Amino acid sequence: MDIQAELLKEHSRKQAMKIADYACLSAKNFRELMQCFLLNEYRVAQRAAWSVNLATEKKPALIQPYIKALVAQLKNKNSHPAVVRNSVRILERIRIP
């Protein structure tokens, strides 16, 4: 699956869940989703944020290598509000080292 293309195809809960389920299949897939989440492309990051949140609800351990990147997104003044909102939701649920 080309996650970025799927993110841009449709913005719906069904699509976000489909992408999150795919990302949960492997660390490689989740890394691809996180790359979209961390992009400076406003729309891609916005849509990826929802799927990242859904994926980490299912498998919280996947986000551990990206905690610093999540916190950095909170400081980024150009981040889409969905990126900030979903980053905070994720950080609320996990143990922060």
Side-chain angles (χ1 to χ4, degrees):
M1 173 188 292
D2 180 351
I3 291 179
Q4 186 169 348
E6 289 296 314
L7 288 167
L8 293 172
K9 186 187 294 185
E10 176 185 340
H11 188 54
S12 68
R13 180 163 185 79
K14 180 181 175 185
Q15 185 73 350
M17 290 294 295
K18 175 183 163 184
I19 293 166
D21 289 342
Y22 176 76
C24 286
L25 293 176
S26 72
K28 177 183 174 280
N29 294 353
F30 189 77
R31 181 176 49 249
E32 183 182 346
L33 177 58
M34 284 301 296
Q35 288 170 345
C36 292
F37 176 76
L38 298 172
L39 274 180
N40 286 329
E41 291 185 40
Y42 200 71
R43 194 64 56 214
V44 174
Q46 171 206 10
R47 293 182 181 182
W50 195 4
S51 293
V52 169
N53 185 31
L54 293 169
T56 58
E57 282 180 356
K58 292 180 179 194
K59 292 193 174 184
L62 288 172
I63 200 66
Q64 288 299 320
Y66 304 98
I67 292 174
K68 287 183 182 180
L70 273 181
V71 173
Q73 289 297 83
L74 298 176
K75 296 176 186 178
N76 183 351
K77 296 193 185 304
N78 295 323
S79 290
H80 190 284
V83 170
V84 174
R85 182 175 54 251
N86 284 288
S87 294
V88 170
R89 286 180 183 157
I90 293 165
L91 291 169
E92 286 177 332
R93 288 193 311 264
I94 64 170
R95 184 180 170 133
I96 302 170

